[in-house]
Amino acid sequence: MIKLEHITKNFKNLKAVDDVSLEIKKGEIVCLIGPSGSGKSTVLRCINGLEVPESGDVYIYDQKLDLNGEDKGRQLRNKMGFVFQHFNLFPNMTVLENLTLAPIQVMKKSKSEAEEIACQYLKRVGLLDKKDEYPNKLSGGQKQRVAIARSLCMNPEIMLFDEPTSALDPEMVIEVLEVMQELAQEGMTMVVVTHEMGFARTVADRVIFLEDGKIIEENNAEDFFSQP
Ligand code: ADP
Ligand code: ADP
């Protein structure tokens, strides 16, 4: 479903991603782990075109992600939801407006149709009662659940998570991980950059360890964590 072939991404003299190749199957949950600065986030951002690699190709469903070939690139990107560490909600819009914006503007849904979808996903993450609040009224954990619901409104086939719990107080981590675990159980294809080893161990099908922009180890979660 996702294939990276020999991806390299530099920032000036720094090789942030150095010849990374990987393949992710439909329904697979892959966790990217490794020290800070090892290139995890950049790999993730290359998958959906937030970063454009210097060399190498990204394929989504065997279609090359070509960001210059505008429309097709956009169609492929729309299949992917992206959840950021810092939520990236629009502060001047209510929760409901945050969720309906892309369905209305990108998917050309009517307002009522978009609101119906939005409420359905807000209910799923347990936040329907917050629909008319502004993001600054929510806790970090609630903001992140709203951000996940917002991605789901676009009906993605792949969800990418970039340290979704790293900015949260410990007591809020679990409520976000539970939502992610449910998604995994429902068969969503997911790539997750995380420091949550418990999540990686129990939810991931595969764990990929990066260091200095390179894949150092790749294994199923059980074998990965059972090594000395
Ligand atoms: P990780 O997610 O593993 O912490 P990143 O992919 O964020 O690592 O970063 C890899 C390296 O690339 C780091 O050294 C980081 O400082 C650098 N980097 C990431 N994004 C940029 C950018 N936009 N400009 C310059 N350097 C960057
Ligand atoms: P998030 O995890 O929410 O995506 P980050 O704090 O990791 O946000 O990164 C925010 C932005 O800063 C990204 O666009 C990333 O590429 C950029 N960035 C990261 N490291 C550096 C760096 N060393 N120099 C310049 N930009 C960077």
Side-chain angles (χ1 to χ4, degrees):
M1 184 165 206
I2 302 170
K3 193 156 83 180
L4 304 190
E5 279 186 346
H6 302 291
I7 295 292
T8 296
K9 175 72 191 177
N10 304 315
F11 294 106
K12 301 220 175 88
N13 295 327
L14 175 85
K15 261 200 172 144
V17 178
D18 187 2
D19 194 22
V20 163
S21 298
L22 66 93
E23 215 173 318
I24 295 163
K25 295 192 194 75
K26 188 170 161 55
E28 216 180 355
I29 314 299
V30 174
C31 282
L32 299 181
I33 67 172
S36 179
S38 57
K40 307 178 295 292
S41 180
T42 307
V43 167
L44 196 71
R45 297 164 72 88
C46 284
I47 294 177
N48 81 333
L50 279 171
E51 298 284 0
V52 182
E54 259 86 46
S55 59
D57 292 314
V58 178
Y59 295 88
I60 309 294
Y61 291 113
D62 295 327
Q63 289 188 67
K64 197 157 139 180
L65 186 63
D66 175 8
L67 298 162
N68 302 317
E70 276 300 324
D71 276 358
K72 210 164 127 199
R74 191 166 302 149
Q75 274 173 30
L76 287 178
R77 289 188 67 185
N78 284 345
K79 293 183 191 296
M80 295 181 261
F82 200 101
V83 175
F84 298 86
Q85 181 177 353
H86 297 289
F87 329 122
N88 294 13
L89 298 173
F90 298 106
N92 57 337
M93 294 182 184
T94 65
V95 164
L96 191 62
E97 286 164 352
N98 265 280
L99 265 70
T100 56
L101 183 71
I104 291 171
Q105 294 200 342
V106 180
M107 296 169 92
K108 307 294 174 204
K109 303 264 185 216
S110 70
K111 185 161 177 255
S112 61
E113 208 181 349
E115 286 181 348
E116 193 178 320
I117 297 167
C119 287
Q120 187 187 315
Y121 284 114
L122 280 175
K123 196 168 165 194
R124 260 191 54 180
V125 301
L127 291 172
L128 187 55
D129 59 330
K130 303 288 183 199
K131 70 182 171 58
D132 297 318
E133 299 281 11
Y134 285 87
N136 66 5
K137 285 275 159 55
L138 306 179
S139 71
Q142 291 171 336
K143 281 183 202 162
Q144 196 58 298
R145 283 147 65 202
V146 168
I148 293 171
R150 179 176 61 174
S151 282
L152 294 174
C153 285
M154 292 293 283
N155 200 20
E157 294 170 37
I158 302 161
M159 286 289 287
L160 308 175
F161 293 86
D162 192 357
E163 300 200 17
T165 59
S166 296
L168 302 179
D169 291 337
E171 68 270 22
M172 290 164 190
V173 168
I174 191 87
E175 64 191 44
V176 171
L177 292 180
E178 275 172 6
V179 169
M180 292 169 64
Q181 189 159 5
E182 266 174 43
L183 272 180
Q185 279 161 359
E186 287 163 18
M188 180 65 82
T189 308
M190 290 169 45
V191 187
V192 185
V193 173
T194 188
H195 295 290
E196 293 293 332
M197 291 307 132
F199 179 84
R201 193 169 51 237
T202 54
V203 182
D205 297 306
R206 192 145 51 101
V207 178
I208 295 175
F209 185 85
L210 282 146
E211 205 170 88
D212 296 330
K214 293 191 186 70
I215 294 180
I216 300 293
E217 197 191 337
E218 184 174 348
N219 216 330
N220 66 63
E222 195 181 335
D223 288 346
F224 189 93
F225 288 105
S226 65
Q227 292 161 16

